[in-house]
Amino acid sequence: MIYGHGGDIYTYKEMLDFSVNLNPLGPPQSVTDAAKRGVELASVYPDSQCRRLRRKLAQKQNIPEKEYIFGNGAAELIYTLVLAEKPRRALVPVPAFSEYEQALDTVGCEIKYYKTKENNYFCISKEFLSELDESIDIVFLCSPVNPSGHVIDREVLLRVTQRCEELGIRLVLDECFIEFLPVPERYSMLRDTERYHRLFILRAFTKIYAMPGLRLGYGISSDGELLEKMQHMRQPWSVSVPAQEAGIAALDEDEYVRNGRSLVAEERTYLEAELKNAGMKFISSNVNFILIYTKTDLFSEMKKRGILIRNCENYRGLGKGWYRIAVRTHEENLRLAEALRDITDKAGNENTDDKRNEEII
């Protein structure tokens, strides 16, 4: 099986990893300590209902406990939802996270692709509404968008959500990167699940708490029938004791989250300035990663310098020349910027002064 994501440090050993998008602060100490305590409880089965985690998250977000479902990362919930719904026809904007398509393929679902535009940051626009009709069973959206890092206009999101509700279309909204925004509440649809029965919000502890190895994601929906179906489709102990303990501890780390957001905003500004100075085309981001386009084989050139980045040519709707870099600590970003300058200096004519005038979105 070909691995098509970032973070493949097992193939590319001893490299500085800019290919995976996590909080650059790394996991909080309280989270790692809690996970260790969870390991000490390895002689007991995990709570299949994640009751302590459910209670604490519900209190923090002020959402009824019954509206949550937890999984072995957000990816498991994507597959579980598709298996529960068994949609016949889906609408997926591209480029997008590949798991949407892969999960839909497992049930033989026909997929209609909607190609988003580079000059709109690869976000859907109001024209997307015309694609929604009675033939569509499920829609996958992501905001902030992966791989561009831009948020979808809230008015567009609301109109799409309303249209899906009217037509009985399941709307899966992936908000896994939303907590990197300065004020996530302004853009999230978290408070709209009660109003929209067909809306399913997807989130994860993975990114904002930098704990992908523990695998912890969750979904929110007011559709109790859907959640019940999903529970029947999943194996009961997919969320380990260490993951549950880590998640409970993470919910107390508000200052850590604020510090991570601040660091990401500051370092993203620095990296975008470096990219602009290098004359490299990029999509200005709202979160902790940046999408780049260049004719240079940037993946190979960075690999020579001990840096792993995400080659995005396998994203449907992008193709060759697109790469994604994470926003990391300043020391690490300095190393990436130095490598970038070295590469562009050697690339010759591609990044000359007239190329610097190329439109940067």
Side-chain angles (χ1 to χ4, degrees):
M1 189 172 91
I2 297 173
Y3 186 81
H5 302 283
D8 189 8
I9 58 171
Y10 308 100
T11 299
Y12 305 99
K13 302 181 189 303
E14 298 179 3
M15 296 179 71
L16 179 55
D17 188 7
F18 274 82
S19 71
V20 66
N21 313 313
L22 306 174
N23 190 324
L25 294 175
Q29 187 62 48
S30 66
V31 168
T32 55
D33 289 344
K36 289 174 185 175
R37 291 196 300 271
V39 173
E40 294 171 357
L41 298 171
S43 62
V44 300
Y45 280 96
D47 177 3
S48 64
Q49 297 300 311
C50 301
R51 275 166 281 208
R52 288 174 56 225
L53 176 60
R54 179 188 299 271
R55 189 177 310 116
K56 191 166 186 177
L57 184 57
Q59 289 171 352
K60 188 177 184 68
Q61 295 181 333
N62 195 28
I63 288 174
E65 291 183 32
K66 65 181 181 178
E67 295 186 5
Y68 289 93
I69 185 169
F70 295 87
N72 189 257
E76 185 201 22
L77 294 173
I78 294 170
Y79 282 85
T80 304
L81 187 149
V82 168
L83 286 169
E85 295 270 270
K86 293 184 173 56
R88 294 165 299 174
R89 194 163 192 250
L91 178 60
V92 180
V94 291
F97 187 47
S98 61
E99 249 67 7
Y100 311 148
E101 181 177 348
Q102 291 173 15
L104 291 164
D105 282 342
T106 65
V107 295
C109 181
E110 177 191 349
I111 305 173
K112 180 181 180 182
Y113 299 101
Y114 177 86
K115 196 170 187 314
T116 53
K117 297 175 181 178
E118 181 184 333
N119 63 9
N120 194 40
Y121 311 101
F122 293 115
C123 293
I124 62 166
S125 60
K126 62 183 180 180
E127 285 75 22
F128 186 75
L129 288 160
S130 64
E131 303 293 323
L132 300 170
D133 58 38
E134 291 82 358
S135 71
I136 304 296
D137 298 311
I138 191 169
V139 171
F140 279 90
L141 296 179
C142 184
S143 183
V145 173
N146 179 5
S148 78
H150 226 271
V151 291
I152 298 173
D153 180 84
R154 182 165 173 79
E155 182 58 33
V156 171
L157 260 183
L158 284 169
R159 290 179 65 184
V160 168
T161 305
Q162 180 64 44
R163 183 71 173 148
C164 286
E165 191 74 13
E166 292 167 356
L167 293 171
I169 298 170
R170 177 69 61 199
L171 174 58
V172 182
L173 178 59
D174 184 341
E175 292 189 345
C176 284
F177 289 101
I178 204 160
E179 289 177 280
F180 287 100
L181 298 174
V183 188
E185 296 78 16
R186 289 182 183 172
Y187 304 94
S188 175
M189 296 287 287
L190 202 64
R191 302 291 166 212
D192 297 288
T193 53
E194 283 292 330
R195 197 161 38 130
Y196 299 110
H197 197 59
R198 303 297 297 176
L199 174 63
F200 183 92
I201 302 285
L202 189 67
R203 287 200 176 187
F205 285 73
T206 302
K207 312 298 184 184
I208 193 64
Y209 297 110
M211 48 184 274
L214 285 167
R215 312 305 306 137
L216 181 59
Y218 62 98
I220 303 167
S221 174
S222 61
D223 189 343
E225 185 178 345
L226 169 67
L227 298 180
E228 186 66 28
K229 283 183 184 177
M230 290 178 68
Q231 290 287 9
H232 282 299
M233 288 293 172
R234 59 189 287 270
Q235 63 101 346
W237 302 293
S238 66
V239 184
S240 70
V241 174
Q244 291 187 42
E245 292 296 323
I248 291 166
L251 292 174
D252 289 326
E253 290 289 345
D254 293 344
E255 184 177 1
Y256 160 88
V257 171
R258 287 193 294 270
N259 290 341
R261 287 173 185 158
S262 178
L263 177 62
V264 163
E266 182 178 342
E267 290 301 315
R268 185 180 64 240
T269 299
Y270 166 74
L271 282 176
E272 291 190 352
E274 288 293 326
L275 289 166
K276 190 170 185 178
N277 289 337
M280 196 162 283
K281 180 179 177 181
F282 64 93
I283 305 289
S284 185
S285 176
N286 296 133
V287 287
N288 62 326
F289 54 88
I290 305 168
L291 184 63
I292 301 167
Y293 179 81
T294 176
K295 294 178 182 176
T296 301
D297 185 353
L298 198 60
F299 181 85
S300 297
E301 290 298 325
M302 284 291 182
K303 189 169 70 169
K304 291 175 187 175
R305 293 159 176 82
I307 297 173
L308 181 63
I309 64 172
R310 176 70 157 90
N311 185 348
C312 293
E313 68 179 37
N314 67 341
Y315 271 81
R316 187 185 295 273
L318 283 184
K320 192 171 182 180
W322 289 96
Y323 304 91
R324 194 188 65 201
I325 59 170
V327 177
R328 294 183 63 100
T329 65
H330 189 62
E331 182 180 8
E332 292 166 327
N333 294 337
L334 284 172
R335 184 173 161 188
L336 181 120
E338 182 181 359
L340 186 66
R341 286 191 292 270
D342 186 45
I343 291 165
T344 53
D345 285 347
K346 291 179 178 178
N349 293 332
E350 183 192 349
N351 294 309
T352 55
D353 285 341
D354 60 329
K355 276 285 182 181
R356 291 172 189 266
N357 293 324
E358 183 176 13
E359 181 182 2
I360 305 293
I361 295 178

Coordinates of all heavy atoms in Angstrom, one line a residue, residues 3-81:
Y3 N 1.9 4.9 0.8 CA 1.6 5.9 1.8 C 1.6 7.2 1.2 O 2.5 7.7 0.6 CB 2.7 5.8 2.9 CG 2.4 6.7 4.1 CD1 1.5 6.3 5.1 CD2 3.0 8.0 4.3 CE1 1.3 7.1 6.2 CE2 2.7 8.8 5.3 CZ 1.8 8.3 6.3 OH 1.6 9.1 7.4
G4 N 0.4 7.9 1.3 CA 0.2 9.2 0.5 C 0.1 10.4 1.4 O -0.4 11.4 0.9
H5 N 0.6 10.3 2.6 CA 0.4 11.5 3.6 C 1.8 12.0 4.0 O 2.8 11.5 3.6 CB -0.3 11.0 4.8 CG -1.7 10.5 4.5 ND1 -2.7 11.3 4.2 CD2 -2.2 9.2 4.4 CE1 -3.8 10.6 4.0 NE2 -3.5 9.3 4.1
G6 N 1.8 13.1 4.8 CA 3.0 13.6 5.3 C 3.4 12.7 6.6 O 2.7 11.8 7.0
G7 N 4.6 13.1 7.2 CA 5.0 12.4 8.4 C 5.6 11.1 8.2 O 5.7 10.3 9.2
D8 N 6.0 10.7 7.0 CA 6.6 9.4 6.8 C 8.0 9.3 7.2 O 8.9 9.2 6.4 CB 6.4 8.9 5.3 CG 6.8 7.5 5.1 OD1 7.0 6.8 6.1 OD2 6.8 7.1 3.9
I9 N 8.3 9.5 8.5 CA 9.7 9.5 9.0 C 10.3 8.1 9.1 O 11.5 7.9 9.4 CB 9.7 10.1 10.4 CG1 8.8 9.4 11.4 CG2 9.3 11.6 10.3 CD1 9.0 9.8 12.8
Y10 N 9.5 7.1 8.8 CA 9.9 5.7 8.8 C 10.6 5.4 7.5 O 11.6 4.5 7.4 CB 8.8 4.8 9.0 CG 8.0 5.2 10.3 CD1 6.8 5.9 10.2 CD2 8.5 4.9 11.6 CE1 6.2 6.3 11.4 CE2 7.9 5.3 12.7 CZ 6.7 6.0 12.6 OH 6.1 6.4 13.7
T11 N 10.2 6.0 6.4 CA 10.9 5.9 5.1 C 12.0 6.9 5.0 O 13.1 6.5 4.6 CB 9.9 6.1 3.9 OG1 8.9 5.2 4.0 CG2 10.6 6.0 2.6
Y12 N 11.8 8.1 5.4 CA 12.8 9.2 5.3 C 13.3 9.4 6.7 O 12.8 10.3 7.5 CB 12.1 10.4 4.7 CG 11.5 10.2 3.4 CD1 10.1 10.0 3.3 CD2 12.3 10.2 2.2 CE1 9.5 9.8 2.1 CE2 11.7 9.9 1.0 CZ 10.3 9.8 0.9 OH 9.7 9.5 -0.3
K13 N 14.3 8.7 7.1 CA 14.8 8.7 8.5 C 15.7 9.9 8.7 O 16.4 10.4 7.9 CB 15.6 7.4 8.8 CG 14.7 6.1 8.6 CD 15.6 4.9 8.9 CE 14.8 3.6 8.5 NZ 13.5 3.4 9.1
E14 N 15.7 10.3 10.0 CA 16.6 11.3 10.5 C 16.5 12.6 9.7 O 17.6 13.2 9.4 CB 18.0 10.8 10.6 CG 18.2 9.6 11.5 CD 19.6 9.1 11.5 OE1 20.5 9.7 10.9 OE2 19.8 8.1 12.3
M15 N 15.3 13.0 9.3 CA 15.1 14.3 8.6 C 14.3 15.2 9.4 O 13.5 14.8 10.3 CB 14.5 14.0 7.3 CG 15.3 13.2 6.3 SD 14.5 12.8 4.7 CE 14.6 14.5 4.0
L16 N 14.4 16.5 9.2 CA 13.6 17.5 9.9 C 12.3 17.5 9.2 O 12.2 17.8 8.0 CB 14.3 18.9 9.8 CG 13.5 20.1 10.4 CD1 13.2 19.8 11.9 CD2 14.4 21.3 10.3
D17 N 11.2 17.2 9.9 CA 9.9 16.9 9.2 C 9.0 18.2 9.1 O 8.4 18.6 10.1 CB 9.2 15.8 10.0 CG 7.9 15.3 9.3 OD1 7.7 15.8 8.1 OD2 7.2 14.5 9.9
F18 N 8.9 18.7 7.9 CA 8.0 19.8 7.6 C 6.8 19.3 6.9 O 6.0 20.1 6.3 CB 8.7 20.9 6.8 CG 9.5 21.9 7.6 CD1 10.7 21.7 8.1 CD2 8.9 23.2 7.9 CE1 11.4 22.6 8.9 CE2 9.6 24.1 8.7 CZ 10.8 23.8 9.2
S19 N 6.7 18.0 6.8 CA 5.6 17.4 6.0 C 4.3 17.2 6.7 O 3.2 17.0 6.1 CB 6.1 16.1 5.4 OG 6.1 15.1 6.4
V20 N 4.3 17.3 8.0 CA 3.1 17.0 8.8 C 2.8 18.3 9.6 O 3.7 19.0 10.1 CB 3.3 15.8 9.7 CG1 4.3 16.0 10.8 CG2 2.0 15.4 10.3
N21 N 1.5 18.6 9.7 CA 1.1 19.9 10.3 C 0.6 19.8 11.7 O -0.6 19.5 11.9 CB 0.0 20.5 9.4 CG 0.3 20.4 7.9 OD1 1.4 20.8 7.5 ND2 -0.6 20.0 7.1
L22 N 1.5 20.0 12.6 CA 1.1 19.9 14.0 C 1.5 21.2 14.8 O 2.2 22.1 14.2 CB 1.9 18.8 14.7 CG 1.8 17.4 14.0 CD1 2.7 16.4 14.7 CD2 0.3 16.9 14.1
N23 N 1.0 21.4 16.0 CA 1.4 22.5 16.8 C 2.9 22.4 17.0 O 3.4 21.4 17.5 CB 0.7 22.4 18.2 CG 0.8 23.6 19.1 OD1 1.9 24.2 19.1 ND2 -0.2 23.9 19.8
P24 N 3.7 23.4 16.6 CA 5.1 23.4 16.7 C 5.7 23.3 18.1 O 6.9 23.0 18.3 CB 5.6 24.7 16.0 CG 4.4 25.6 16.1 CD 3.2 24.7 16.0
L25 N 4.8 23.5 19.1 CA 5.3 23.4 20.5 C 5.4 22.0 21.0 O 6.0 21.7 22.0 CB 4.3 24.1 21.5 CG 4.2 25.6 21.3 CD1 3.1 26.2 22.2 CD2 5.5 26.3 21.6
G26 N 4.9 21.0 20.2 CA 5.0 19.6 20.6 C 3.9 19.4 21.6 O 3.3 20.3 22.1
P27 N 3.7 18.1 22.0 CA 2.6 17.8 23.0 C 2.9 18.4 24.3 O 4.1 18.4 24.8 CB 2.6 16.3 23.0 CG 3.9 15.8 22.5 CD 4.4 16.9 21.5
P28 N 1.9 18.9 25.0 CA 2.1 19.4 26.4 C 2.6 18.3 27.3 O 2.3 17.1 27.1 CB 0.7 19.9 26.8 CG -0.1 20.0 25.6 CD 0.5 19.0 24.6
Q29 N 3.4 18.7 28.3 CA 4.0 17.7 29.2 C 2.8 16.9 29.9 O 2.9 15.7 30.2 CB 4.9 18.4 30.3 CG 5.6 17.4 31.2 CD 6.5 16.5 30.4 OE1 7.3 16.9 29.6 NE2 6.4 15.2 30.7
S30 N 1.7 17.7 30.3 CA 0.6 17.0 30.9 C 0.0 15.9 30.1 O -0.5 14.9 30.6 CB -0.5 18.1 31.3 OG -1.0 18.6 30.1
V31 N 0.0 16.1 28.8 CA -0.5 15.1 27.9 C 0.3 13.8 27.8 O -0.2 12.7 27.9 CB -0.7 15.7 26.4 CG1 -1.0 14.6 25.4 CG2 -1.8 16.7 26.5
T32 N 1.6 14.0 27.7 CA 2.5 12.9 27.7 C 2.5 12.1 29.0 O 2.5 10.9 29.1 CB 4.0 13.2 27.3 OG1 4.4 14.3 28.2 CG2 4.0 13.8 25.9
D33 N 2.4 12.9 30.1 CA 2.3 12.3 31.5 C 1.1 11.5 31.6 O 1.1 10.4 32.1 CB 2.4 13.4 32.5 CG 3.8 14.0 32.7 OD1 4.8 13.4 32.2 OD2 3.9 15.1 33.3
A34 N 0.0 12.0 31.1 CA -1.3 11.3 31.1 C -1.3 10.1 30.3 O -1.8 9.0 30.7 CB -2.4 12.2 30.7
A35 N -0.7 10.1 29.1 CA -0.6 8.9 28.3 C 0.2 7.8 28.9 O -0.1 6.7 28.8 CB 0.1 9.3 26.9
K36 N 1.3 8.3 29.7 CA 2.1 7.3 30.4 C 1.3 6.6 31.5 O 1.4 5.4 31.7 CB 3.3 8.0 31.0 CG 4.4 8.4 30.0 CD 5.5 9.2 30.6 CE 6.5 9.7 29.5 NZ 7.5 10.5 30.1
R37 N 0.5 7.4 32.2 CA -0.4 6.8 33.2 C -1.4 5.8 32.5 O -1.7 4.8 33.1 CB -1.2 7.9 33.9 CG -0.4 8.8 34.8 CD -1.2 9.6 35.8 NE -2.2 10.4 35.1 CZ -1.9 11.7 34.7 NH1 -0.7 12.2 34.9 NH2 -2.8 12.4 34.1
G38 N -1.8 6.2 31.3 CA -2.7 5.3 30.6 C -2.1 3.9 30.3 O -2.7 2.9 30.3
V39 N -0.8 4.0 29.9 CA 0.0 2.7 29.7 C 0.0 1.8 30.9 O -0.1 0.6 30.8 CB 1.4 3.0 29.2 CG1 2.2 1.8 29.1 CG2 1.4 3.8 27.8
E40 N 0.1 2.5 32.1 CA 0.1 1.7 33.3 C -1.3 1.0 33.6 O -1.3 0.1 34.4 CB 0.4 2.6 34.5 CG 1.9 3.1 34.4 CD 2.1 4.2 35.4 OE1 1.2 4.6 36.2 OE2 3.3 4.7 35.5
L41 N -2.3 1.4 32.8 CA -3.6 0.8 33.0 C -3.9 -0.2 31.8 O -5.0 -0.5 31.5 CB -4.7 1.9 33.0 CG -4.6 2.9 34.2 CD1 -5.6 4.0 33.9 CD2 -5.0 2.2 35.5
A42 N -2.8 -0.7 31.2 CA -2.9 -1.5 30.0 C -3.6 -2.9 30.3 O -4.1 -3.5 29.4 CB -1.6 -1.8 29.4
S43 N -3.8 -3.2 31.6 CA -4.4 -4.5 31.9 C -6.0 -4.4 31.9 O -6.7 -5.4 32.1 CB -4.0 -4.9 33.4 OG -4.4 -3.9 34.3
V44 N -6.5 -3.2 31.7 CA -8.0 -3.0 31.6 C -8.4 -2.6 30.2 O -7.6 -1.9 29.4 CB -8.5 -2.0 32.6 CG1 -8.2 -2.4 34.0 CG2 -7.9 -0.6 32.3
Y45 N -9.6 -3.0 29.8 CA -10.1 -2.5 28.5 C -10.4 -1.0 28.5 O -10.8 -0.5 29.6 CB -11.4 -3.3 28.1 CG -11.2 -4.6 27.6 CD1 -11.2 -5.8 28.4 CD2 -10.9 -4.8 26.2 CE1 -11.1 -7.0 27.9 CE2 -10.7 -6.1 25.7 CZ -10.8 -7.2 26.5 OH -10.6 -8.4 26.0
P46 N -10.3 -0.3 27.4 CA -10.7 1.1 27.4 C -12.2 1.2 27.5 O -13.0 0.3 27.3 CB -10.3 1.5 25.9 CG -9.4 0.5 25.4 CD -9.7 -0.8 26.1
D47 N -12.6 2.4 28.0 CA -14.1 2.7 28.1 C -14.6 2.9 26.6 O -14.2 3.9 26.0 CB -14.3 3.9 28.9 CG -15.7 4.4 29.0 OD1 -16.6 3.7 28.4 OD2 -16.0 5.4 29.6
S48 N -15.4 2.0 26.2 CA -15.9 2.1 24.8 C -16.7 3.4 24.5 O -16.8 3.8 23.3 CB -16.7 0.9 24.4 OG -17.8 0.8 25.2
Q49 N -17.2 4.0 25.6 CA -18.0 5.2 25.4 C -17.2 6.5 25.7 O -17.8 7.6 25.6 CB -19.2 5.1 26.4 CG -20.2 4.0 26.1 CD -20.8 4.1 24.7 OE1 -21.2 5.1 24.3 NE2 -20.7 3.0 23.9
C50 N -16.0 6.3 26.1 CA -15.1 7.5 26.4 C -15.8 8.4 27.4 O -15.8 9.7 27.2 CB -14.7 8.2 25.1 SG -13.8 7.2 23.9
R51 N -16.4 7.9 28.4 CA -17.3 8.7 29.2 C -16.7 9.9 29.9 O -17.2 11.0 29.9 CB -18.0 7.8 30.3 CG -19.3 7.1 29.7 CD -19.8 6.0 30.5 NE -18.9 4.8 30.3 CZ -19.4 3.6 30.5 NH1 -20.6 3.4 30.9 NH2 -18.6 2.5 30.2
R52 N -15.5 9.7 30.5 CA -14.8 10.8 31.2 C -14.4 11.9 30.2 O -14.6 13.1 30.4 CB -13.6 10.4 32.0 CG -13.9 9.6 33.2 CD -12.7 9.0 33.8 NE -11.7 10.0 34.1 CZ -10.4 9.8 33.9 NH1 -9.9 8.8 33.3 NH2 -9.5 10.8 34.2
L53 N -13.9 11.5 29.1 CA -13.5 12.4 28.0 C -14.7 13.1 27.4 O -14.7 14.3 27.2 CB -12.7 11.7 26.9 CG -12.3 12.4 25.7 CD1 -11.4 13.6 26.0 CD2 -11.7 11.5 24.6
R54 N -15.8 12.4 27.2 CA -17.0 12.9 26.6 C -17.6 14.0 27.6 O -18.0 15.1 27.1 CB -18.0 11.8 26.5 CG -19.4 12.2 26.0 CD -20.4 11.0 26.0 NE -19.9 9.9 25.2 CZ -20.2 9.7 24.0 NH1 -20.9 10.6 23.3 NH2 -19.7 8.6 23.3
R55 N -17.6 13.7 28.9 CA -18.2 14.6 29.8 C -17.4 15.9 29.9 O -18.0 17.0 29.8 CB -18.2 14.0 31.2 CG -18.9 14.8 32.3 CD -19.0 14.0 33.6 NE -19.4 12.6 33.4 CZ -18.7 11.5 33.7 NH1 -17.4 11.7 34.1 NH2 -19.1 10.3 33.4
K56 N -16.1 15.8 29.9 CA -15.2 17.0 30.0 C -15.3 17.8 28.7 O -15.3 19.1 28.8 CB -13.8 16.6 30.3 CG -12.9 17.7 30.6 CD -11.6 17.2 31.2 CE -10.7 18.3 31.8 NZ -9.5 17.9 32.4
L57 N -15.3 17.2 27.5 CA -15.3 17.9 26.3 C -16.7 18.6 26.1 O -16.8 19.7 25.7 CB -15.1 17.0 25.1 CG -15.0 17.6 23.7 CD1 -14.0 18.7 23.6 CD2 -14.8 16.5 22.7
A58 N -17.8 17.9 26.5 CA -19.1 18.5 26.4 C -19.2 19.7 27.3 O -19.8 20.7 26.9 CB -20.2 17.4 26.8
Q59 N -18.7 19.7 28.5 CA -18.7 20.8 29.4 C -17.9 22.0 28.8 O -18.3 23.1 28.9 CB -18.1 20.4 30.8 CG -19.1 19.5 31.5 CD -18.4 18.9 32.8 OE1 -17.2 19.1 33.0 NE2 -19.2 18.3 33.6
K60 N -16.8 21.7 28.2 CA -15.9 22.7 27.7 C -16.5 23.4 26.5 O -16.4 24.6 26.3 CB -14.6 22.1 27.3 CG -13.5 23.1 26.8 CD -12.2 22.4 26.5 CE -11.1 23.4 26.2 NZ -10.7 24.2 27.4
Q61 N -17.2 22.6 25.6 CA -17.8 23.2 24.4 C -19.3 23.5 24.6 O -19.9 24.0 23.6 CB -17.6 22.2 23.2 CG -16.1 22.0 22.9 CD -15.9 21.0 21.7 OE1 -16.8 20.1 21.5 NE2 -14.8 21.2 21.0
N62 N -19.9 23.2 25.7 CA -21.3 23.4 26.0 C -22.2 22.8 24.9 O -23.1 23.5 24.3 CB -21.5 25.0 26.1 CG -22.9 25.3 26.7 OD1 -23.4 24.5 27.5 ND2 -23.4 26.4 26.3
I63 N -21.9 21.5 24.7 CA -22.7 20.7 23.7 C -23.2 19.5 24.5 O -22.4 18.9 25.3 CB -21.9 20.4 22.5 CG1 -21.7 21.7 21.7 CG2 -22.5 19.3 21.6 CD1 -20.7 21.5 20.5
P64 N -24.4 19.0 24.2 CA -24.9 17.8 24.9 C -23.9 16.6 24.7 O -23.4 16.3 23.6 CB -26.2 17.5 24.3 CG -26.7 18.9 23.8 CD -25.4 19.6 23.4
E65 N -23.7 15.8 25.8 CA -22.8 14.7 25.7 C -23.2 13.7 24.6 O -22.4 13.0 24.0 CB -22.7 14.0 27.1 CG -22.1 14.7 28.2 CD -22.0 14.0 29.5 OE1 -21.9 12.7 29.4 OE2 -22.0 14.6 30.5
K66 N -24.5 13.5 24.5 CA -25.0 12.5 23.5 C -24.7 12.8 22.1 O -24.8 11.9 21.2 CB -26.5 12.3 23.7 CG -27.3 13.6 23.3 CD -28.8 13.4 23.5 CE -29.5 14.7 23.0 NZ -31.0 14.5 23.2
E67 N -24.2 14.0 21.8 CA -24.0 14.4 20.4 C -22.5 14.1 19.9 O -22.1 14.5 18.8 CB -24.3 15.9 20.2 CG -25.8 16.1 20.4 CD -26.2 17.5 20.0 OE1 -25.4 18.3 19.5 OE2 -27.4 17.8 20.3
Y68 N -21.7 13.4 20.8 CA -20.3 13.2 20.4 C -20.2 11.7 20.1 O -20.8 10.8 20.6 CB -19.4 13.4 21.6 CG -19.2 14.9 21.9 CD1 -20.1 15.5 22.9 CD2 -18.2 15.6 21.3 CE1 -19.9 16.9 23.2 CE2 -18.1 17.0 21.6 CZ -18.9 17.6 22.5 OH -18.7 18.9 22.8
I69 N -19.2 11.5 19.2 CA -18.7 10.1 18.9 C -17.2 10.2 18.8 O -16.6 11.2 18.2 CB -19.3 9.5 17.7 CG1 -18.8 8.0 17.5 CG2 -19.0 10.3 16.4 CD1 -19.6 7.3 16.4
F70 N -16.4 9.3 19.4 CA -15.0 9.3 19.4 C -14.4 8.2 18.6 O -15.0 7.1 18.4 CB -14.5 9.2 20.9 CG -14.9 10.4 21.7 CD1 -16.1 10.4 22.4 CD2 -14.1 11.5 21.8 CE1 -16.5 11.5 23.1 CE2 -14.5 12.6 22.5 CZ -15.7 12.6 23.2
G71 N -13.2 8.5 18.0 CA -12.6 7.4 17.2 C -11.1 7.5 17.3 O -10.5 8.4 17.9
N72 N -10.5 6.5 16.6 CA -9.0 6.3 16.5 C -8.5 7.3 15.5 O -8.1 7.0 14.4 CB -8.7 4.9 16.1 CG -7.2 4.6 16.2 OD1 -6.6 4.5 15.2 ND2 -6.8 4.3 17.4
G73 N -8.6 8.6 15.9 CA -8.3 9.7 14.9 C -9.5 10.1 14.1 O -10.5 9.3 14.0
A74 N -9.5 11.2 13.5 CA -10.6 11.7 12.7 C -10.8 10.7 11.5 O -11.9 10.5 11.0 CB -10.4 13.1 12.2
A75 N -9.7 10.2 11.0 CA -9.7 9.3 9.8 C -10.7 8.1 10.0 O -11.4 7.7 9.1 CB -8.4 8.8 9.4
E76 N -10.6 7.5 11.2 CA -11.5 6.4 11.5 C -13.0 6.8 11.4 O -13.8 6.0 10.9 CB -11.2 5.8 12.9 CG -12.0 4.5 13.1 CD -12.2 4.1 14.6 OE1 -12.1 5.0 15.4 OE2 -12.5 3.0 14.8
L77 N -13.3 8.0 11.9 CA -14.7 8.4 11.9 C -15.2 8.7 10.4 O -16.3 8.5 10.2 CB -14.8 9.7 12.7 CG -14.6 9.4 14.2 CD1 -14.6 10.8 15.0 CD2 -15.6 8.5 14.8
I78 N -14.3 9.1 9.5 CA -14.7 9.3 8.1 C -15.1 7.9 7.6 O -16.2 7.8 6.9 CB -13.5 9.9 7.3 CG1 -13.2 11.3 7.8 CG2 -13.8 9.8 5.8 CD1 -11.9 11.8 7.2
Y79 N -14.3 6.9 7.8 CA -14.6 5.6 7.2 C -15.9 5.0 7.9 O -16.8 4.5 7.3 CB -13.5 4.6 7.5 CG -12.4 4.8 6.5 CD1 -11.4 5.7 6.7 CD2 -12.3 4.0 5.3 CE1 -10.3 5.8 5.7 CE2 -11.3 4.1 4.4 CZ -10.3 5.0 4.6 OH -9.3 5.2 3.7
T80 N -16.0 5.2 9.2 CA -17.2 4.7 10.0 C -18.5 5.4 9.5 O -19.5 4.7 9.3 CB -17.0 5.0 11.5 OG1 -15.8 4.4 11.9 CG2 -18.1 4.3 12.3
L81 N -18.4 6.7 9.3 CA -19.6 7.4 8.8 C -20.0 6.9 7.5 O -21.2 6.7 7.2 CB -19.4 8.9 8.8 CG -20.6 9.8 8.5 CD1 -20.4 11.1 9.2 CD2 -20.7 10.0 7.0

